[in-house]
Amino acid sequence: MKDLLRILVSPVVWLASFSAIYALHGLICQLDPGASEPFGVSLSRITLIAAFVLAVLVQAGLLALLYSLRFGAAPGFARSVSRMSGWVGLVATLWTLFPTLAVSSCGW
């Protein structure tokens, strides 16, 4: 059962972070489409960037745990699949959440 958790943790965390960040994006666009701009960057943009960085750091931390001797799976199939799944979670986080950094916030 623990091996199944190791295999699924990264994709589940990606799913949760994807949903949370795009919900945050919708909430920001509805409530405050860039009213305050310290340092020439809107507070909305700073919040989305911070959420993106946090999601990437969580995925990187999970990947590090999957490679550790203490928390990683025993050698064999489960170890390989859990590590691959960890990489998939990290790459999916970077790929799908990058638009929060690259495109305009609310399409105004």
Side-chain angles (χ1 to χ4, degrees), residues 8-26 47-60 62 86 88-100:
L8 293 177
V9 68
S10 289
V12 169
V13 169
W14 164 77
L15 176 65
S17 62
F18 179 85
S19 299
I21 288 177
Y22 278 100
L24 176 66
H25 178 263
T47 304
L48 288 173
I49 290 170
F52 171 79
V53 169
L54 180 65
V56 170
L57 289 175
V58 167
Q59 285 289 352
L62 283 173
V88 166
L90 179 61
V91 170
T93 300
L94 289 167
W95 184 260
T96 60
L97 296 179
F98 182 74
T100 60

